[in-house]
Amino acid sequence: MKKKYCRLIELLFTIFVWAATSHAQTISGKLIDENNQPLSYANVVLLSLPDSTFITGVVTDENGIFQLQENEKGKLIRISTIGYVTLYKKYTEKQLGIIQLTPDTQLLSEVVIQGTLPKTQLKGDAMVTNIQNSVLAKAGSANDVLGKIPGIIRKEDTFEVFGKGTPLIYINGRLVRDNSELEQLNSDDIKHIEVVQNPGARYDATVKAVIRIQTVRRQGDGFGFNLRASYYQSENTDWYDQLNLNYRHNNLDLFASLTYQKATYFQKADMIQTLNSKSLLEIKQKADWNGTHRSLYPTLGFNYQFNENHSMGMRYRPYKQLMFKTDDEVYSVAMINGEVDDQIRTFSNAETDSDPNHQLNAYYNGNIGKLNIDFNADLLHKGSTEETTYDEQSQLSDSRMIHTFNRVKNRLGAAKLVLSYPLLGGNLSVGSEYTYTYRKDDYLNEEDYIPSTYSKIEETKATAFTEYSHPLPFGSLSAGVRYEHVTFDYYEEEIYQDDQSRKYNNWYPNASFSTQFGPVQTQLSYTVKTVRPFYNQLGNAVTYVDRYSISTGNPTLKPELNHDLSLTAAWKFFQFTMSYQLQKDAILHQGISQENNDEAILLYYTNYQEKIPSLQVLLTAAPKIQWWSPRISVGMQKQWLTLEYAGVDIPMDKPIPYFYFNNSLELPKDFLISLDFNWTGKGVMQIYSTEKVRYQIDLSIRKSFLKDKLSIELKGVNLTDSMNDNIRMYSQDYSIHQINERDNREFVLTLRYKFNTSKSKYKGTGAGAESKSRM
């Protein structure tokens, strides 16, 4: 297999050697807008004279730069992008220099009266929303902005792309490791945000969506900093403080940051678990979970730009969880065949001691002629120890104390190389990525109520990919393929387990076609993706839940496969997305009776044997009407699935409707008011049925001072306290019905101050992102 992989890499690089040694002449230039900012994703087409026949074409990159292969018939260049007057230009020299486009005044006049200039456009492989000089530039942080982008859904401290799940997020090409980085980025430093709903072959096969954030390029040398302090008041009190520093001199850029976070949470739940085995087990529970953690996040790094074609840098991010404690109470009534078997009140407390975690990324980005080289290397070292005590006070049987000890170590090394080259009027990219992962997981119970386990996982992943895009007279076509070879070695007590170890060799193709029907931009794309189990789902460690329940991993889990066919369209201020997906070997939760006890529950994960088709549809309107910027979205998710539960077929196909109505109002005296309403109806997704309508209302008021150097924001989150869950899960002989109450209604006061701020030039994109997330 290694020889086969090496031959594939050799073939890909042979293509590049051939491409790099070709001597085709190119026509190059750079496009800028009326504010002298680069115009990315504009169409540049070479035409023949006198009949204006299409010869070749490209789109400008993020810096507004384009390169066209010269043709003896081509004498005329056509440059076009939505919102600007189409430019026809004869050329006599191959270096066209800087070309400035003129805004379409007719379209601009419509904006003032009707608000029809699109803030979100389909460009390249993404839906691109401009932030600079818009009302969203005053939203606060990148977190605040992302929640207002069409197709992005904010769920507490995480984000999802509608119908695709959790995305990878990049800032200037660098992978975001932690959402605290989004809080550190001010909204007025963001130029635009790109949402990729079907990522190509250069991204890991598990990545179903990507968000790319491009910041405004600040000019000048010197020292700059910005401060941010946030106070959160709910039933608990939380803090979030950060300091960002930056020093730039000539080609050297030094940056550092320090973030402190203190968070307290609680959750209450009413649960009913049912197990239909030889006996009917029913457990009714009332739970009260509480936790507190304090964390410190320093970051250090540098970037050095040798010249406009070559740069390198390094970023080091140590992390220390200063404290993480939980104190829980659960009251359980267990019934077997309708008779009370026991009543137990369990008090548990856990304390996690986190090792100093270390993340290191180094990169090089450069151009040799027309060849672009992007190289990244990553190292990760992390670990933790958790000690938990359970005090079970039984009314009908023996009370007992239980002590568990869990020690986890994770190591990762990864490298990624991407080469890009203009070829035959299009652009060719090839690359490779290698990741090594090590995880050791020891779980001990000194009373021996459950067996102690000592497991180890070693995984290597070698990938190769290629992508090619080419403009056509009637649109643009791109296609790619990714090959992944994964070796998964599983050990118990340092003994290799052949039956539970795995090797995977998979190909993941993708293709997309973009065109324009009059003013309507459209894109049709197809891709194959996978979902790999988390490492703790693959282990064999048994975790104690309560006297009637334990949970474990499943080393035989297979990766999930997902086929995705998506249609995207944009017209004026409307955006539309529709996605049909087919899941194979879906990873689902399962509950069965324990091997030696029919009256106790074993929880684990398994692969569902049938394919699950689903459909996602979302329509968004985002006009700007003078001082009012609304965004209205209506969506739906539906699957086709029938589950067998307790010998009865249960249809799991009720669609889930969604409605979002976000508003931003710009008022005099630098006031900004935001009012957001999100609504989710009842429905089913996979094996989970939502039994209650959920909605949320957020209101914020922001005032800026000193030419926006200082800002104060007061925000109310979930004002109606109506985002609590009511969910039912079905799984063959097991079901659980859970009603949650969370501490998610809060008021937030945020102060920001910035002095001579300049965004870092760091261009590292990271490697091994998928493996890091699975840790």
Side-chain angles (χ1 to χ4, degrees):
M1 193 66 235
K2 291 183 178 179
K3 290 183 178 179
K4 180 179 179 181
Y5 174 73
C6 291
R7 284 196 295 268
L8 178 60
I9 296 293
E10 182 180 354
L11 174 61
L12 294 176
F13 280 88
T14 300
I15 295 173
F16 255 90
V17 171
W18 169 76
T21 55
S22 63
H23 298 285
Q25 299 297 311
T26 59
I27 308 163
S28 62
K30 179 177 181 179
L31 299 187
I32 60 173
D33 61 15
E34 69 279 13
N35 298 314
N36 296 321
Q37 295 294 319
L39 268 175
S40 56
Y41 305 112
N43 298 308
V44 183
V45 175
L46 183 64
L47 306 175
S48 67
L49 289 176
D51 55 1
S52 297
T53 301
F54 174 90
I55 297 176
T56 186
V58 295
V59 294
T60 57
D61 64 14
E62 293 180 351
N63 301 314
I65 296 172
F66 65 89
Q67 289 183 333
L68 278 167
Q69 284 198 356
E70 188 181 21
N71 186 289
E72 61 181 10
K73 296 181 180 179
K75 298 299 180 183
L76 182 67
I77 291 178
R78 184 185 67 200
I79 302 172
S80 63
T81 187
I82 290 182
Y84 292 86
V85 176
T86 299
L87 174 67
Y88 290 87
K89 184 180 181 68
K90 290 184 179 180
Y91 77 92
T92 56
E93 297 181 356
K94 298 179 180 62
Q95 299 296 328
L96 300 182
I98 296 176
I99 303 172
Q100 187 173 47
L101 296 190
T102 304
D104 189 329
T105 55
Q106 180 179 357
L107 203 55
L108 288 174
S109 65
E110 292 176 356
V111 176
V112 177
I113 300 173
Q114 304 172 9
T116 56
L117 179 65
K119 292 190 299 183
T120 301
Q121 302 175 18
L122 183 59
K123 296 182 177 181
D125 62 347
M127 296 291 289
V128 182
T129 301
N130 294 321
I131 307 301
Q132 187 180 15
N133 300 322
S134 76
V135 65
L136 293 181
K138 302 178 182 179
S141 69
N143 268 334
D144 300 312
V145 175
L146 287 176
K148 300 177 183 296
I149 300 298
I152 298 179
I153 302 170
R154 184 170 186 175
K155 293 190 174 181
E156 297 184 2
D157 294 330
T158 62
F159 294 93
E160 290 186 3
V161 173
F162 184 83
K164 306 292 183 176
T166 304
L168 288 185
I169 301 177
Y170 291 84
I171 298 176
N172 292 335
R174 180 184 58 78
L175 180 66
V176 172
R177 315 294 182 188
D178 188 280
N179 276 0
S180 64
E181 296 187 45
L182 299 175
E183 281 293 333
Q184 295 170 12
L185 177 59
N186 293 320
S187 57
D188 60 355
D189 287 319
I190 300 175
K191 180 182 178 182
H192 63 251
I193 294 176
E194 307 171 15
V195 180
V196 184
Q197 301 197 23
N198 264 7
R202 71 174 54 211
Y203 296 100
D204 191 277
T206 63
V207 179
K208 295 183 178 180
V210 172
I211 296 174
R212 299 189 294 240
I213 301 174
Q214 190 71 30
T215 63
V216 178
R217 296 190 174 187
R218 305 298 187 190
Q219 302 297 322
D221 293 344
F223 172 75
F225 70 88
N226 66 74
L227 296 167
R228 175 263 177 95
S230 293
Y231 170 81
Y232 300 79
Q233 184 62 59
S234 54
E235 295 195 25
N236 299 294
T237 301
D238 300 330
W239 289 93
Y240 186 97
D241 303 295
Q242 69 182 48
L243 168 65
N244 298 327
L245 304 171
N246 186 267
Y247 176 75
R248 183 174 296 170
H249 179 68
N250 294 331
N251 296 328
L252 178 64
D253 179 31
L254 301 174
F255 57 89
S257 67
L258 182 65
T259 302
Y260 171 79
Q261 183 178 17
K262 180 261 180 182
T264 304
Y265 74 90
F266 87 82
Q267 178 180 335
K268 296 181 179 180
D270 291 323
M271 298 175 288
I272 300 177
Q273 298 182 75
T274 305
L275 178 66
N276 296 274
S277 60
K278 293 181 181 179
S279 303
L280 176 62
L281 172 65
E282 187 176 63
I283 305 174
K284 298 180 180 179
Q285 296 176 304
K286 287 185 175 293
D288 189 350
W289 297 304
N290 299 272
T292 301
H293 73 85
R294 294 199 302 265
S295 301
L296 197 63
Y297 308 83
T299 301
L300 299 169
F302 78 91
N303 176 85
Y304 187 78
Q305 190 160 354
F306 298 95
N307 51 50
E308 62 180 8
N309 290 321
H310 300 278
S311 63
M312 62 167 291
M314 185 175 294
R315 184 185 185 93
Y316 172 58
R317 184 179 174 87
Y319 162 74
K320 178 61 178 176
Q321 189 167 263
L322 303 177
M323 182 192 72
F324 183 34
K325 293 182 178 180
T326 61
D327 291 289
D328 307 329
E329 179 182 348
V330 180
Y331 176 70
S332 305
V333 178
M335 305 181 68
I336 298 177
N337 297 326
E339 300 290 334
V340 175
D341 186 65
D342 205 347
Q343 299 179 39
I344 303 172
R345 190 176 299 275
T346 302
F347 300 90
S348 64
N349 60 79
E351 186 168 346
T352 301
D353 182 16
S354 171
D355 298 343
N357 297 335
H358 305 275
Q359 292 184 5
L360 180 67
N361 168 255
Y363 84 93
Y364 164 77
N365 187 277
N367 295 286
I368 301 176
K370 292 179 287 183
L371 176 66
N372 176 260
I373 304 171
D374 185 10
F375 174 76
N376 278 264
D378 278 76
L379 294 174
L380 173 66
H381 181 289
K382 63 188 299 185
S384 64
T385 302
E386 181 183 76
E387 297 186 57
T388 308
T389 300
Y390 302 86
D391 180 6
E392 293 185 349
Q393 301 178 3
S394 172
Q395 296 185 14
L396 302 179
S397 59
D398 296 336
S399 298
R400 63 187 186 184
M401 297 287 291
I402 300 171
H403 301 83
T404 64
F405 175 90
N406 186 208
R407 174 63 178 162
V408 177
K409 291 182 179 180
N410 289 302
R411 309 286 186 269
L412 177 141
K416 183 177 181 179
L417 174 67
V418 182
L419 305 175
S420 302
Y421 191 84
L423 180 66
L424 302 178
N427 189 74
L428 175 68
S429 296
V430 301
S432 180
E433 184 173 6
Y434 179 85
T435 304
Y436 169 78
T437 307
Y438 170 94
R439 177 184 174 91
K440 189 173 183 181
D441 193 339
D442 298 337
Y443 189 88
L444 290 76
N445 170 225
E446 62 183 60
E447 294 86 6
D448 205 27
Y449 289 119
I450 56 176
S452 297
T453 57
Y454 305 86
S455 62
K456 184 177 73 173
I457 292 172
E458 289 187 90
E459 182 181 275
T460 59
K461 181 173 65 175
T463 69
F465 63 85
T466 181
E467 290 180 319
Y468 184 71
S469 60
H470 196 286
L472 302 171
F474 44 84
S476 178
L477 179 66
S478 66
V481 64
R482 184 181 182 94
Y483 167 76
E484 295 190 354
H485 171 70
V486 180
T487 301
F488 174 81
D489 294 331
Y490 181 76
Y491 300 82
E492 286 186 6
E493 298 184 1
E494 298 297 332
I495 299 175
Y496 178 75
Q497 305 295 311
D498 185 66
D499 292 341
Q500 296 170 330
S501 300
R502 295 286 184 272
K503 288 185 179 181
Y504 301 103
N505 295 284
N506 299 101
W507 295 87
Y508 301 98
N510 70 279
S512 67
F513 173 70
S514 302
T515 190
Q516 194 159 333
F517 298 97
V520 181
Q521 301 171 292
T522 61
Q523 182 183 77
L524 182 66
S525 59
Y526 167 77
T527 187
V528 179
K529 295 294 181 180
T530 188
V531 176
R532 296 191 182 91
F534 290 102
Y535 291 118
N536 59 355
Q537 295 174 342
L538 291 168
N540 220 17
V542 177
T543 302
Y544 186 82
V545 179
D546 56 42
R547 187 170 296 196
Y548 290 89
S549 306
I550 59 174
S551 66
T552 185
N554 179 5
T556 65
L557 273 180
K558 297 184 294 185
E560 175 183 315
L561 202 63
N562 192 311
H563 296 263
D564 189 317
L565 181 65
S566 296
L567 174 66
T568 304
W571 175 66
K572 293 187 176 180
F573 53 76
F574 291 97
Q575 302 89 41
F576 173 78
T577 61
M578 180 171 63
S579 174
Y580 176 78
Q581 300 179 15
L582 187 65
Q583 285 180 292
K584 181 182 178 183
D585 295 322
I587 299 172
L588 303 178
H589 222 137
Q590 179 96 5
I592 59 174
S593 59
Q594 296 180 21
E595 185 175 356
N596 300 318
N597 187 355
D598 292 330
E599 298 171 355
I601 301 169
L602 173 65
L603 301 171
Y604 70 109
Y605 287 89
T606 187
N607 292 111
Y608 184 66
Q609 299 303 310
E610 303 292 332
K611 296 178 181 178
I612 306 177
S614 62
L615 180 69
Q616 297 81 27
V617 180
L618 182 70
L619 176 64
T620 300
K624 178 172 176 58
I625 306 174
Q626 295 182 356
W627 45 267
W628 177 36
S629 299
R631 191 199 78 179
I632 304 172
S633 298
V634 180
M636 178 274 295
Q637 294 189 77
K638 176 180 172 57
Q639 68 178 14
W640 287 265
L641 174 65
T642 299
L643 282 180
E644 181 181 344
Y645 170 69
V648 178
D649 288 340
I650 298 179
M652 304 288 286
D653 56 3
K654 184 178 180 180
I656 302 178
Y658 300 87
F659 177 73
Y660 309 99
F661 188 21
N662 298 340
N663 301 269
S664 297
L665 297 92
E666 296 178 275
L667 302 179
K669 305 294 184 180
D670 294 320
F671 277 97
L672 176 67
I673 297 178
S674 296
L675 177 62
D676 300 332
F677 175 75
N678 302 328
W679 181 90
T680 303
K682 301 178 183 179
V684 178
M685 187 51 60
Q686 287 194 335
I687 59 175
Y688 304 97
S689 174
T690 302
E691 309 281 312
K692 176 188 174 183
V693 170
R694 303 167 69 233
Y695 62 93
Q696 177 171 328
I697 299 176
D698 300 338
L699 175 64
S700 69
I701 302 175
R702 180 182 185 270
K703 175 73 170 76
S704 60
F705 305 88
L706 305 176
K707 297 182 179 180
D708 209 32
K709 290 183 178 180
L710 174 67
S711 66
I712 301 176
E713 181 184 47
L714 179 63
K715 185 175 184 178
V717 180
N718 190 23
L719 294 175
T720 56
D721 196 21
S722 48
M723 283 296 287
N724 295 317
D725 301 318
N726 186 335
I727 297 175
R728 192 184 301 269
M729 186 196 86
Y730 297 96
S731 173
Q732 291 188 357
D733 296 328
Y734 172 79
S735 70
I736 179 171
H737 183 202
Q738 183 166 332
I739 301 174
N740 296 316
E741 178 187 345
R742 294 187 176 90
D743 182 23
N744 52 18
R745 177 170 57 180
E746 62 186 3
F747 294 91
V748 185
L749 178 63
T750 299
L751 282 78
R752 288 185 173 88
Y753 179 77
K754 50 191 176 182
F755 170 77
N756 193 28
T757 55
S758 59
K759 296 311 298 175
S760 169
K761 299 178 181 178
Y762 197 79
K763 300 180 181 179
T765 58
E770 182 266 339
S771 296
K772 280 178 277 192
S773 68
R774 291 164 65 205
M775 290 181 175

